[in-house]
Amino acid sequence: METDGITTPFGRRAMTLGMLASQAIAKTVSPEASIDKWKLYRWLCEARPKLRVSDRALSVLNALMSFYPKTELSGSDNLVVFPSNMQLSLRTHGMAETTLRRHLAALVDAGLLVRRDSPNGKRYVRRDRGGEIGEAYGFSLTPLLARAGEIEQLAASVTAERMLLQRLRERITLVRRDIVKLIETALEDGLSGDWMQFEAEYRVQILGLPRIATPEILNPILTALEALRVEILNCMEKQIIVHNSAGYPDQTERHKQNSKPESTSDSEPRFETKQDGKVEIQSDTPVMADMAALAKPAGPAEPENSRGDERHDRRQRPLGAGPEPQKPYPLPLVLQACPEIVPFGPGGTISSWRDLMTAAVVVRSMLAISPSAYEDACGVLGPENAATVIACILERSGHINSAGGYLRDLSRRAERGEFTLGPMLMALARANQTPAKRAG
């Protein structure tokens, strides 16, 4: 058993209420109490954030515990260890003496050790004739035994919080992946919806993620992201259901009957010979109507249909003309995704589409893109989107060997309906946003 009573520190070290409380707790240990010291040390390592001690302080405590000869800390034994600073430094891999003193003081302040200072401040032991320890001066491990239950609960609490934080991070990662891929799919397939607004809401939530997160911070962000994913899914599912229902076999809207009974087939054209010997192609189907339009000689333009039917407009376009130019994306999104083109605008800024197209002409020359390639892109994509593609190429110019060939390839793919600008813009916007977030 340790000597009863309260001891004060040697020298200039002042007595504190914390030291007094630690010694009072140590006096309450039952003689029957015992705990495996290395199991207790593992709990200490788990509970370190709650105990407010550093990892190096725990290394010093580990060295002190190694000087206790038994594996079990028992309330019936003298739990004072008394190594010299030199021996303690060797077991802490050569830690400097001043550093040892600082960490020992931190362990005492945390209530994990109690000083048992001798009259001269040295650490030593007095033994009786039988070799049993009579008086020992050094550091008592009794507070560890007294607080074993508390330390175990703190360790379990820290472990539970860590597991909760891990699950929240995993769920946020899955929801982020779903949102990004769903928006990209919607843009690639041309589904209607305010997808750029969804992307903006997604970024607002992502920018709120700190480098060191807690469950209190992550829970509302996860809730907002899950609500956004549900909104995106609802918007897509409605359009998918409508699209699929229009193609069911039992629907009659796609079955066309020829109103002229003398026709042998609805899909084959009829060739009639005029009096002047010319052949005229007649058909009731849209495809053959286009062929008939190509077969007719050029003449005065017919008046445009006043109803403005979109399907009628598409029929009047000649075969091989490709899809109509895509609508331009918002200029702020383009500048966020492609900031490197801004200095090439008039006066070093870009405030309108005209400024962006002016900058694109300058960048086109700088990237050695031929005027014909840029004109083809303007014809297929539209002037705004062509300027946007130039800005994207400038942003990734270090990874593109031939900017002109790349632009021609994108134009050909867009003409076949195989390329949309949305995914490219979103990828660049996320790439340019990442450093700002992590500086996350």
Side-chain angles (χ1 to χ4, degrees):
M1 291 292 294
E2 296 180 21
T3 303
D4 294 334
I6 300 299
T7 62
T8 56
F10 171 80
R12 297 181 180 179
R13 291 191 298 269
M15 183 69 177
T16 65
L17 293 178
M19 294 180 186
L20 188 62
S22 297
Q23 295 186 42
I25 292 174
K27 292 175 63 176
T28 63
V29 177
S30 170
E32 290 78 19
S34 65
I35 189 71
D36 184 285
K37 65 179 181 181
W38 300 124
K39 184 177 182 180
L40 178 60
Y41 182 74
R42 286 194 294 272
W43 291 344
L44 285 167
C45 293
E46 289 285 350
R48 184 179 66 82
K50 300 283 188 181
L51 295 172
R52 301 180 183 276
V53 291
S54 66
D55 53 347
R56 299 199 71 191
L58 286 182
S59 297
V60 175
L61 181 59
N62 179 76
L64 281 174
M65 294 173 72
S66 69
F67 282 101
Y68 185 73
K70 298 180 180 179
T71 303
E72 293 280 332
L73 299 179
S74 175
S76 59
D77 295 334
N78 192 316
L79 301 181
V80 177
V81 290
F82 38 88
S84 66
N85 284 342
M86 180 181 295
Q87 293 297 321
L88 197 55
S89 176
L90 289 175
R91 294 204 184 181
T92 53
H93 310 288
M95 185 178 292
E97 184 175 341
T98 54
T99 307
L100 275 174
R101 293 180 184 275
R102 186 172 69 252
H103 291 312
L104 287 170
L107 291 170
V108 172
D109 291 340
L112 301 178
L113 294 178
V114 169
R115 292 183 184 272
R116 298 285 184 187
D117 285 346
S118 66
N120 62 0
K122 301 295 183 180
R123 301 172 201 152
Y124 59 88
V125 63
R126 294 184 185 276
R127 301 180 183 271
D128 57 19
R129 292 183 177 182
E132 297 294 331
I133 295 177
E135 293 181 355
Y137 299 100
F139 294 98
S140 173
L141 303 178
T142 308
L144 293 177
L145 181 59
R147 299 179 61 185
E150 175 195 352
I151 294 171
E152 181 182 8
Q153 291 180 359
L154 290 175
S157 173
V158 171
T159 302
E161 289 183 7
R162 185 176 67 249
M163 295 300 296
L164 174 61
L165 186 62
Q166 181 179 352
R167 286 195 296 268
L168 287 174
R169 288 184 180 276
E170 289 174 352
R171 290 176 61 188
I172 287 178
T173 299
L174 293 175
V175 175
R176 289 180 61 181
R177 183 181 69 190
D178 292 346
I179 291 175
V180 170
K181 290 187 177 294
L182 288 172
I183 293 178
E184 288 180 352
T185 301
L187 288 172
E188 289 177 356
D189 293 344
L191 297 181
S192 62
D194 197 355
W195 306 112
M196 293 301 104
Q197 179 62 30
F198 289 145
E199 173 73 10
E201 293 177 11
Y202 165 74
R203 286 188 192 154
V204 168
Q205 297 299 329
I206 295 307
L207 289 175
L209 289 172
R211 182 182 294 273
I212 301 176
T214 61
E216 291 75 16
I217 296 175
L218 294 184
N219 268 318
I221 295 177
L222 175 61
T223 301
L225 288 175
E226 287 180 338
L228 180 60
R229 178 178 63 175
V230 170
E231 189 176 355
I232 292 172
L233 282 172
N234 289 339
C235 184
M236 296 181 69
E237 287 175 354
K238 290 178 183 178
Q239 299 183 62
I240 293 172
I241 291 173
V242 171
H243 177 74
N244 288 341
S245 63
Y248 289 155
D250 59 349
Q251 299 293 322
T252 58
E253 60 183 36
R254 296 181 59 184
H255 293 278
K256 304 291 183 180
Q257 268 195 339
N258 190 357
S259 59
K260 299 180 181 181
E262 67 273 10
S263 173
T264 58
S265 174
D266 289 341
S267 60
E268 296 181 358
R270 297 195 306 276
F271 296 88
E272 295 184 359
T273 305
K274 288 189 171 183
Q275 293 181 357
D276 56 2
K278 294 183 179 179
V279 176
E280 181 180 5
I281 305 176
Q282 297 181 355
S283 175
D284 297 326
T285 61
V287 175
M288 293 308 156
D290 287 335
M291 293 177 61
L294 288 176
K296 291 181 181 179
E302 295 180 1
E304 187 178 356
N305 190 343
S306 59
R307 292 179 300 174
D309 185 6
E310 185 180 351
R311 290 181 299 171
H312 176 76
D313 293 340
R314 285 200 294 267
R315 291 178 193 174
Q316 300 304 319
R317 302 182 71 216
L319 289 177
E324 296 180 1
Q326 306 169 22
K327 293 182 180 180
Y329 289 87
L331 182 61
L333 174 64
V334 175
L335 298 181
Q336 180 184 359
C338 309
E340 291 190 10
I341 200 172
V342 174
F344 296 95
T349 59
I350 294 177
S351 58
S352 63
W353 281 110
R354 182 180 296 275
D355 294 345
L356 180 63
M357 289 186 280
T358 302
V361 173
V362 177
V363 173
R364 175 195 66 74
S365 302
M366 185 181 71
L367 296 176
I369 298 175
S370 65
S372 61
Y374 184 59
E375 289 174 6
D376 291 344
C378 290
V380 174
L381 298 168
E384 294 88 354
N385 284 337
T388 302
V389 171
I390 293 293
C392 294
I393 293 176
L394 174 64
E395 202 71 22
R396 303 290 293 170
S397 58
H399 304 273
I400 299 174
N401 294 328
S402 174
Y406 185 61
L407 180 62
R408 288 188 184 276
D409 179 64
L410 292 181
S411 299
R412 285 192 295 267
R413 290 169 56 194
E415 195 170 12
R416 296 193 301 266
E418 299 174 357
F419 168 71
T420 55
L421 194 52
M424 177 186 290
L425 275 178
M426 288 172 56
L428 288 174
R430 285 195 298 272
N432 289 328
Q433 154 209 316
T434 301
K437 180 185 73 174
R438 292 187 177 178

